[in-house]
Amino acid sequence: MYSEKLPEAIDLSHHLSEVSKARAISPLKGLQKYMTKPGLITMAGGTPSPEYFPFSTVSGETLIPESFPLTTQSSSSFSWFWKIFGAGAGKKEKTTSFTINKWPAHTGDLNLATALQYSPATGLAALQKIIQEFSQKVYQPSYKNFTTLIDAGNTDGWGKAALTLLNQGDGVLCSEWTYPSALAGIRPWGIKTVPIAMDGQGMRSDSLRETLATNGTLRPHVMYIIPVGQNPTGATMEAQRKKEIYDICVEFDVIIVEDDPYYFLQQSPYVPKDQRADEDAFSRTSTEEKFIAQLAPSFLKFDYQGRVIRLDTFSKTVAPGCRLGWFTCNPQFAERLERAGETSTQAPCGFAQVMVTSLLLNWHYEGYVRWLRALRLQYQERRDAFIDALADAFQLDMAIEINGHRKGSLVYHASLKPERQFSEKSTMRYSKPLFSFVPPSSGMFVWLKLHLEEHPSYTAVGYKALEFKLWTALADHGVLFGFGSMFSASTVTDETKGDGHFRISFSSTEHDDMKKAVSTFALVFREFMKD
Amino acid sequence: MYSEKLPEAIDLSHHLSEVSKARAISPLKGLQKYMTKPGLITMAGGTPSPEYFPFSTVSGETLIPESFPLTTQSSSSFSWFWKIFGAGAGKKEKTTSFTINKWPAHTGDLNLATALQYSPATGLAALQKIIQEFSQKVYQPSYKNFTTLIDAGNTDGWGKAALTLLNQGDGVLCSEWTYPSALAGIRPWGIKTVPIAMDGQGMRSDSLRETLATNGTLRPHVMYIIPVGQNPTGATMEAQRKKEIYDICVEFDVIIVEDDPYYFLQQSPYVPKDQRADEDAFSRTSTEEKFIAQLAPSFLKFDYQGRVIRLDTFSKTVAPGCRLGWFTCNPQFAERLERAGETSTQAPCGFAQVMVTSLLLNWHYEGYVRWLRALRLQYQERRDAFIDALADAFQLDMAIEINGHRKGSLVYHASLKPERQFSEKSTMRYSKPLFSFVPPSSGMFVWLKLHLEEHPSYTAVGYKALEFKLWTALADHGVLFGFGSMFSASTVTDETKGDGHFRISFSSTEHDDMKKAVSTFALVFREFMKD
C-alpha cells in the first residue's frame, strides 16, 4: 500500500499550548476499554433512552451527482436560470432519496438511536471512514499515520487548532490580507497577528523567511493560511510555492494550519466573453481521478513530518448549515483536538452527520467528485458573469502587475466609459484607472483595489475614509460589497496613504442582480469621484 | 402584560472576562443595518448559492405528544416493554410527519435555503420565537428584558458562559459533588473550583455564605450549579433554598450559571413497590399549566437583576444528537455570548434547527408539555424499577440522614441478605450497611454511598483504592457504573478516610439488564468484602 513506504509523524508536542496540555483525558475515557465487552450492561453515562427520541425516521431527497453539467452552457443560458426556466417551470430536478430509521435493521446500519445519542467527539463510524479515505485519496499526506477528526466546520476547527497550539502573547503568521473572522476568533485571547507580504500566489516565501529569520526566540510557531482561493484576494498557491513554504516551516519549526474551504472551487483562468470556449482545462479532464490530479496540491502532500493541520468543511460543497468539517493532522494533535471537542462542541450534530453520511454513501466517492467537478464550473460561470458585467460597464485594460500583493498576476484595470459620448464635456477622465482586480483562480470573491488618489478629498481624509464613504454610498443605493480594510491583518496601518479595497462575492447573486449591482457601482463611483 | 411591571436588568458588565470584553463586534455586524433594505443586492459574504445545496427536501416522522401515558402502568408491564410487545410486535407507534423544502412556498416558511445557509449565531427566527416564549411561560424571569440565545447544548453553553465571565486564576463556586465534564471544561484555562458543602437539597446556603464571607477580595464571582436532579446526587433544590442562594448572590455580587438539563424529569418521591399507586402527585395534575406550576422554580423566577445565566438543552427531552440548547439571561451577557458564538460554533446545525423547530411547531407548546409530562413519568418508572431491583437483592432500611451531603433526606441503607438461609454460616454480617442511597427527585442517576470501613483492607489502602477495585471487579463482571471520585469538586482529598461512591444511571438500561446488573452487584460486592 502507498502509505507503507512513508515515514511516521515526528514528535511535535512542544507546540502544544498550556491549555491544551492541561486538558485531561476525559473522565469517561477510562471506561472505554470495557465498552466493547460483549453483553456489557452500561449504567455509567447520562444517556437518555433512544425510545424517547421523538424522531422515528428522518429522510432526505437529494440531487443526483450529475445535476449540473461539466461543460459551460452558452453564455445566454446560465445554469442558475434553470431554476426559473427548468425546475421552477415544471421540469423537475432529478433526486434520489434515503430514510434513516430510529432502529437499525442490520448491525452497522445508520440509525437515529446511535446518531441522536451522545457519542464520542469522533462522530459516527461510517462518517469517520468516509473522511479518512477521502483525505487519503485526494490529499495524499506524505506520512503514514495521519489522522482525521470531525469538527463543526472550519471556524470551529480553526478556533480549536489555534487554542491547541497558541498561548497568550504568541504570534500567528498570516497573509497581509486575510479572513477577518479567523483573526477575530483569536485576538481576544491575546494572540497577535504577524502579517507576511503576498504576491499573485498568496503568501511570499521570501517574506516569510525574512520574518522568521529576524524574529529570534520570539518568532511565531504557527501559520494560518488559506492557500486556495485565498480570502479575500482569490489567489491560489501552486505546488512549488507550497513546497518552499513547507520547507521554511520545517527549518523554523512552524506548524501550518491550512484552512482550505475553496479547494474544490478551483477555476480556469478568466477568458473575456468573446474568446471563451465551451470547454476549459478542468472540463477537458475526462475522469474523476484526472480532475483530482489537476487541482493544486494540499500542503499535506509535502508534509512528511506531520506539521500541517488541514481544515476541510462541507460548507462550500454541501451546505454551510451542516456545521460539519474535519481536521487532517498527526495523531498527537488529533488526540488533543479530540479532548478539546469533548468539553465544547462534543460530537457534531447527529442530524447533520446522518444526512451528510447518507448523501455520501449514496453518491459514493466517484459521485461526490462528479458533483465537485460541476460545482467548480458553476462558480466559474458566476465569476465569469460578474467580470463580464464589469467589462460591459467599464473600460477594462490588462497588464501584468510588477509590485505589491498581486505581483506576477494579470490585472484588469477599469476606467469609466464616457458618460455620453458627445453631449457632455469629458470632465470625468482620470489618468489612472478607478479600480483594478485579478480574476480569482478559486473561491467566491473578486478583490477590487480602488484607486482613490484622484478623489478630491484623498489628501485631506485618506483612503480609508474614502473606502468607507464609497461603501456607504453603494449601500445606500442598495448594493452591499465587503469593505476592504476589515481584511487587513495589520493592526497598525497608515490610514492616509494607500488604496481602498472591496471584496465582492459572486457566489449567490442572480445574474440580473449582478448586472444591476455593477451598473449601480459605475453610477455611484462616477458621482463619488466628483466629490 | 405580566412583564411590564418588572424591573430591567442592572449593569453587570464588570463581570465580563478580558477575553469576552476583547471580542469585537463582528466585522459583518456593521452590514446588518442595511440587510433589511428592500431589494438589496448583497455581494458581501462568502455564501454559497442554495441551488447547490444537494438537499431538495428533508423530512421527519415524529411521535405524537401522547405517545407515552400519564399514569403508571401496572408494575409487570413497564412501558419500555411496549417496544417489544407493542410497536415491535406489529402495533405501530403513532406518528405525524413533516417535510421541509429547499425553497419556501410562502414567506416565512421554514426552508432549507435559509436553514442550511450561513446565518447569524442567533439561529432561525421561528426557533428564536419558540424558545423566547417557552422561557417566558415556564421560567417567568423576574425582570423585563431577559433574552434567549441558542447554543450547541449545555456543554457548549457552559463553556461559553464560563469564558465570558472568568479570567485565569478566578474561582468558580460549585457543589462539593458535581458534573465532572463541567470542571474538565474550565480547569485547563486556569480556573479554580471552590466547592460548597451540600445537603439533601444540594448546595447549602449557610456554607455558601461562609465561603463568600471569608474569601475577601479573592472571592469567586461566578457559581456553577445544577439545581434539579443534581448530577451526581439527584437532589432537587426547592424554592426557599433557591431564594436564599439568590439573595446571597445579590449580596456578594455573584453570577449564577444554572445548568438545568433535568428540569423536566422531576419525579415524585420513591414509594416501595407494594405501596405504590398508579397515580402520583405529578400525574394527578390535570393540565399542562398545573404541571408546570408544580415543578421546582428556576433561579430565573427569583432573578430581578439579571444575574442568572440559565442553560437549557434539548438533549434530555428530544435527543442529545440535536446539539441544541439555549441561554436565558440579561441582554448584556447575551450580546457577549452571541459574539463568542460567531467566532466558534456560529449558528447551531441547520438540520437540527429545522428538525426541532418542525417538531415543536407541530406539537405546539401544549403538545411539548404533554410530552414532557409523560417523559418524566417514564424516567420515574425506570428509577423505581432500579430501586425495586435493589430492594429485591438487598435488605433495605430507611432512616433520615442527619449529617453530610444528604442531610435531611430519607436514606435507604442496603445490607446483604443472608447467602443461603440455613445451609451456610452467617459469616457475612456487617454491623453497618454496605451502601446507602437517596432515591433521586429528578434526573437519571442513583448516587450510592459505599460503606467500605469494614473491608479488610480499608485501613491499609483507603476508600479511593477500594472504590476503584470494586468498580473494576464489577466492570470485569460486565457491569459498568460511574465511579464516584471523578465527581468530586475538590482537587485535594484525603484518600484514606471517607466513603466511596458510585453513580448509577437508570435512564437507558432495559429492565432485565437492570435486574441482572443488581444481582451481579450483590454477588461481586459480597465477594469483594471477603477480601
Side-chain angles (χ1 to χ4, degrees):
Chain A
M1 197 184 131
Y2 173 70
S3 68
E4 284 309 305
K5 292 173 287 182
L6 297 173
E8 296 215 336
I10 64 171
D11 182 4
L12 292 163
S13 57
H14 55 284
H15 285 285
L16 293 172
S17 69
E18 293 309 313
V19 168
S20 171
K21 282 188 279 190
R23 284 192 207 281
I25 297 285
S26 154
L28 291 170
K29 207 77 189 170
L31 312 188
Q32 288 193 356
K33 67 170 172 171
Y34 292 101
M35 287 297 192
T36 49
K37 209 178 156 81
L40 182 78
I41 301 172
T42 303
M43 300 181 78
T47 52
S49 170
E51 272 184 82
Y52 310 139
F53 300 169
F55 292 89
S56 296
T57 69
V58 298
S59 311
E61 206 179 312
T62 59
L63 298 182
I64 60 169
E66 300 79 13
S67 294
F68 296 98
L70 288 178
T71 52
T72 309
Q73 304 303 295
S74 76
S75 57
S76 62
S77 66
F78 292 95
S79 60
W80 56 93
F81 279 14
W82 293 10
K83 194 182 68 188
I84 302 159
F85 299 113
K91 201 181 120 195
K92 205 166 150 38
E93 56 195 6
K94 279 191 191 157
T95 60
T96 50
S97 62
F98 61 83
T99 293
I100 301 135
N101 297 314
K102 187 190 279 181
W103 306 106
H106 308 94
T107 313
D109 281 0
L110 280 184
N111 65 84
L112 299 178
T114 304
L116 298 185
Q117 187 55 279
Y118 288 109
S119 69
T122 47
L124 294 180
L127 184 57
Q128 284 173 40
K129 190 164 174 281
I130 288 170
I131 283 169
Q132 180 78 15
E133 288 177 4
F134 188 87
S135 279
Q136 170 68 76
K137 270 188 181 167
V138 176
Y139 308 126
Q140 303 166 20
S142 282
Y143 64 108
K144 200 181 296 186
N145 54 335
F146 75 92
T147 304
T148 52
L149 174 70
I150 58 175
D151 59 33
N154 283 16
T155 304
D156 175 56
W158 163 239
K160 283 179 181 154
L163 298 176
T164 293
L165 299 171
L166 294 160
N167 292 315
Q168 198 179 11
D170 280 354
V172 172
L173 300 158
C174 60
S175 302
E176 56 181 317
W177 297 101
T178 195
Y179 177 48
S181 292
L183 307 187
I186 58 171
R187 280 179 171 153
W189 300 100
I191 296 163
K192 296 180 181 70
T193 50
V194 181
I196 305 295
M198 303 170 78
D199 65 13
Q201 277 202 43
M203 188 184 285
R204 287 172 57 149
S205 46
D206 54 353
S207 303
L208 174 64
R209 173 177 290 283
E210 201 181 300
T211 301
L212 287 168
T214 56
N215 267 269
T217 52
L218 287 171
R219 68 173 176 243
H221 68 113
V222 176
M223 173 187 291
Y224 172 78
I225 192 163
I226 311 163
V228 174
Q230 204 269 349
N231 188 352
T233 66
T236 294
M237 190 178 283
E238 298 301 330
Q240 178 58 30
R241 175 70 59 83
K242 278 180 173 151
K243 181 153 174 30
E244 284 165 27
I245 288 184
Y246 184 81
D247 288 343
I248 294 169
C249 289
V250 169
E251 188 181 336
F252 291 94
D253 192 17
V254 172
I255 303 299
I256 300 171
V257 183
E258 179 180 43
D259 183 9
D260 214 351
Y262 306 112
Y263 188 78
F264 296 103
L265 305 186
Q266 294 183 41
Q267 294 153 20
S268 301
Y270 174 76
V271 176
K273 198 165 154 186
D274 49 6
Q275 300 157 39
R276 200 175 302 149
D278 278 3
E279 289 210 339
D280 64 13
F282 279 101
S283 305
R284 273 194 295 274
T285 61
S286 52
T287 65
E288 274 64 41
E289 203 178 328
K290 282 180 188 162
F291 166 71
I292 294 295
Q294 204 176 7
L295 297 170
S298 161
F299 271 110
L300 288 174
K301 183 107 183 216
F302 306 101
D303 187 18
Y304 60 90
Q305 295 190 322
R307 62 171 64 249
V308 173
I309 300 182
R310 183 182 163 86
L311 307 177
D312 271 283
T313 177
F314 290 109
S315 288
K316 313 294 183 185
T317 60
V318 176
C322 299
R323 299 289 78 221
L324 197 60
W326 75 93
F327 301 100
T328 307
C329 62
N330 74 54
Q332 207 170 34
F333 291 164
E335 190 272 337
R336 290 290 93 191
L337 291 164
E338 187 183 337
R339 294 291 86 72
E342 281 165 357
T343 48
S344 60
T345 51
Q346 302 192 342
C349 171
F351 289 112
Q353 287 196 72
V354 289
M355 289 293 179
V356 171
T357 304
S358 298
L359 178 76
L360 297 179
L361 287 175
N362 284 6
W363 277 359
H364 299 286
Y365 172 78
E366 290 71 22
Y368 185 41
V369 176
R370 171 62 181 78
W371 172 263
L372 296 172
R373 286 173 71 190
L375 190 67
R376 58 149 290 283
L377 186 60
Q378 289 289 312
Y379 283 105
Q380 181 175 308
E381 285 180 32
R382 285 171 179 263
R383 176 199 67 180
D384 290 353
F386 177 67
I387 298 177
D388 291 349
L390 289 176
D392 288 344
F394 296 91
Q395 167 72 33
L396 295 187
D397 300 296
M398 286 174 263
I400 300 288
E401 185 79 81
I402 52 167
N403 278 315
H405 76 267
R406 308 185 298 188
K407 187 180 171 185
S409 298
L410 183 65
V411 176
Y412 285 67
H413 294 273
S415 315
L416 284 179
K417 290 185 174 175
E419 283 193 73
R420 282 185 214 133
Q421 204 123 24
F422 300 106
S423 63
E424 212 172 287
K425 278 184 291 176
S426 184
T427 54
M428 301 302 294
R429 306 312 299 173
Y430 302 100
S431 59
K432 289 189 180 174
L434 286 181
F435 66 89
S436 58
F437 63 92
V438 177
S441 46
S442 186
M444 301 183 162
F445 311 110
V446 170
W447 177 241
L448 290 195
K449 180 186 268 201
L450 306 168
H451 305 289
L452 303 167
E453 298 90 336
E454 296 185 63
H455 188 281
S457 312
Y458 183 81
T459 320
V461 304
Y463 80 93
K464 222 167 169 176
L466 289 180
E467 174 188 293
F468 187 67
K469 195 178 170 190
L470 179 56
W471 182 86
T472 306
L474 272 166
D476 287 337
H477 281 78
V479 175
L480 218 55
F481 291 164
F483 53 91
S485 50
M486 72 177 175
F487 296 91
S488 173
S490 303
T491 44
V492 186
T493 49
D494 180 349
E495 301 210 357
T496 54
K497 280 180 200 152
D499 300 298
H501 294 86
F502 286 154
R503 192 195 69 172
I504 305 175
S505 169
F506 53 78
S507 56
S508 58
T509 307
E510 298 292 330
H511 192 219
D512 284 348
D513 278 349
M514 271 187 191
K515 288 206 275 195
K516 212 164 113 189
V518 169
S519 308
T520 305
F521 183 44
L523 189 79
V524 170
F525 210 160
R526 186 188 291 266
E527 287 307 306
F528 169 78
M529 287 302 282
K530 286 180 185 164
D531 153 74
Chain B
M1 195 182 133
Y2 172 70
S3 68
E4 284 309 306
K5 293 173 287 183
L6 297 174
E8 295 215 337
I10 64 171
D11 181 5
L12 293 164
S13 56
H14 55 285
H15 284 286
L16 294 172
S17 68
E18 294 309 314
V19 168
S20 170
K21 282 188 279 188
R23 284 192 207 281
I25 298 283
S26 155
L28 292 170
K29 207 74 190 171
L31 314 186
Q32 289 193 356
K33 67 171 172 171
Y34 292 101
M35 287 298 192
T36 50
K37 207 177 157 85
L40 182 77
I41 302 172
T42 302
M43 302 181 76
T47 51
S49 169
E51 271 183 82
Y52 311 138
F53 299 168
F55 291 89
S56 297
T57 69
V58 298
S59 310
E61 205 179 313
T62 59
L63 297 181
I64 62 168
E66 300 79 13
S67 293
F68 296 97
L70 288 177
T71 51
T72 310
Q73 305 302 294
S74 77
S75 57
S76 62
S77 67
F78 292 96
S79 57
W80 58 94
F81 279 14
W82 291 11
K83 194 180 69 189
I84 302 158
F85 300 113
K91 201 183 120 195
K92 206 168 148 37
E93 56 195 6
K94 279 191 190 157
T95 60
T96 50
S97 63
F98 61 83
T99 293
I100 301 137
N101 297 314
K102 188 191 278 182
W103 306 106
H106 307 95
T107 314
D109 280 0
L110 280 183
N111 65 84
L112 299 178
T114 304
L116 297 185
Q117 188 54 279
Y118 286 110
S119 71
T122 48
L124 294 180
L127 185 57
Q128 283 172 42
K129 190 164 175 281
I130 288 170
I131 283 169
Q132 180 77 14
E133 288 177 4
F134 189 86
S135 278
Q136 171 69 76
K137 270 188 182 167
V138 176
Y139 308 125
Q140 303 166 21
S142 281
Y143 65 109
K144 200 183 295 187
N145 54 336
F146 75 93
T147 304
T148 52
L149 174 71
I150 58 175
D151 60 33
N154 283 17
T155 304
D156 176 55
W158 162 239
K160 282 177 180 156
L163 297 176
T164 293
L165 299 171
L166 294 161
N167 292 315
Q168 197 179 12
D170 281 355
V172 171
L173 300 157
C174 60
S175 301
E176 56 181 316
W177 297 101
T178 194
Y179 177 47
S181 291
L183 307 186
I186 57 170
R187 279 179 172 153
W189 301 100
I191 296 163
K192 297 179 181 69
T193 51
V194 180
I196 306 294
M198 303 171 78
D199 65 12
Q201 278 202 42
M203 190 184 282
R204 285 172 59 150
S205 45
D206 54 352
S207 303
L208 174 64
R209 172 177 291 283
E210 202 180 300
T211 300
L212 287 168
T214 55
N215 267 269
T217 52
L218 288 172
R219 68 173 175 243
H221 67 113
V222 175
M223 175 188 290
Y224 172 77
I225 191 164
I226 311 164
V228 175
Q230 205 268 349
N231 188 351
T233 66
T236 294
M237 191 179 282
E238 297 301 330
Q240 177 60 30
R241 174 71 59 84
K242 278 180 173 151
K243 179 149 174 34
E244 284 165 25
I245 287 185
Y246 184 81
D247 289 342
I248 294 169
C249 289
V250 169
E251 188 181 337
F252 291 93
D253 192 18
V254 172
I255 304 299
I256 300 171
V257 183
E258 180 180 41
D259 182 9
D260 214 351
Y262 307 112
Y263 188 77
F264 295 103
L265 306 186
Q266 293 182 43
Q267 294 154 20
S268 301
Y270 173 76
V271 176
K273 199 164 155 186
D274 50 3
Q275 300 157 38
R276 202 174 302 150
D278 279 3
E279 291 210 338
D280 63 13
F282 279 101
S283 305
R284 272 193 296 272
T285 62
S286 52
T287 65
E288 274 64 42
E289 203 178 329
K290 282 181 188 162
F291 166 71
I292 294 294
Q294 204 175 8
L295 298 169
S298 161
F299 271 111
L300 288 173
K301 182 106 185 217
F302 306 101
D303 187 18
Y304 60 91
Q305 295 190 320
R307 62 170 65 249
V308 174
I309 300 182
R310 183 182 163 85
L311 307 176
D312 270 283
T313 178
F314 290 110
S315 288
K316 312 295 183 183
T317 60
V318 176
C322 300
R323 300 287 77 219
L324 198 61
W326 75 94
F327 302 100
T328 306
C329 62
N330 75 54
Q332 208 170 35
F333 291 164
E335 191 272 338
R336 290 289 94 191
L337 291 165
E338 188 183 336
R339 294 291 86 72
E342 282 166 354
T343 48
S344 60
T345 51
Q346 303 192 341
C349 172
F351 289 113
Q353 287 195 70
V354 289
M355 289 292 178
V356 171
T357 304
S358 298
L359 178 77
L360 297 179
L361 286 175
N362 284 7
W363 275 1
H364 300 284
Y365 173 77
E366 290 71 23
Y368 185 41
V369 176
R370 170 61 181 77
W371 172 264
L372 296 171
R373 285 173 72 190
L375 190 67
R376 60 149 290 283
L377 187 59
Q378 289 290 312
Y379 283 105
Q380 180 174 309
E381 285 180 31
R382 284 171 181 262
R383 177 201 66 182
D384 291 353
F386 177 67
I387 299 177
D388 291 350
L390 289 176
D392 288 344
F394 296 91
Q395 166 74 32
L396 294 187
D397 300 296
M398 286 173 264
I400 301 288
E401 185 78 83
I402 52 168
N403 279 314
H405 75 267
R406 307 185 298 188
K407 187 180 171 186
S409 299
L410 183 64
V411 176
Y412 286 68
H413 294 271
S415 316
L416 285 179
K417 290 186 174 176
E419 285 193 71
R420 283 186 214 131
Q421 203 122 25
F422 300 106
S423 64
E424 212 174 289
K425 277 183 291 175
S426 183
T427 54
M428 301 301 298
R429 305 311 299 174
Y430 302 100
S431 59
K432 289 188 180 177
L434 286 181
F435 66 89
S436 59
F437 62 93
V438 178
S441 45
S442 186
M444 301 183 161
F445 311 111
V446 171
W447 178 240
L448 289 195
K449 181 186 269 200
L450 306 168
H451 304 287
L452 304 167
E453 298 90 336
E454 296 186 62
H455 187 282
S457 312
Y458 182 82
T459 319
V461 304
Y463 79 94
K464 222 168 170 175
L466 288 180
E467 175 189 291
F468 187 68
K469 194 177 171 193
L470 179 56
W471 182 87
T472 307
L474 272 166
D476 287 337
H477 281 78
V479 175
L480 218 55
F481 291 164
F483 54 90
S485 50
M486 73 178 176
F487 297 90
S488 173
S490 303
T491 45
V492 187
T493 49
D494 180 348
E495 301 210 357
T496 54
K497 279 181 201 151
D499 300 297
H501 294 86
F502 286 154
R503 193 195 70 172
I504 305 175
S505 168
F506 52 79
S507 55
S508 58
T509 308
E510 298 293 331
H511 192 220
D512 283 350
D513 278 349
M514 272 185 190
K515 288 206 277 195
K516 212 164 113 189
V518 169
S519 307
T520 305
F521 183 45
L523 190 79
V524 171
F525 210 160
R526 186 187 292 263
E527 287 307 306
F528 169 80
M529 288 301 282
K530 285 180 184 165
D531 149 72

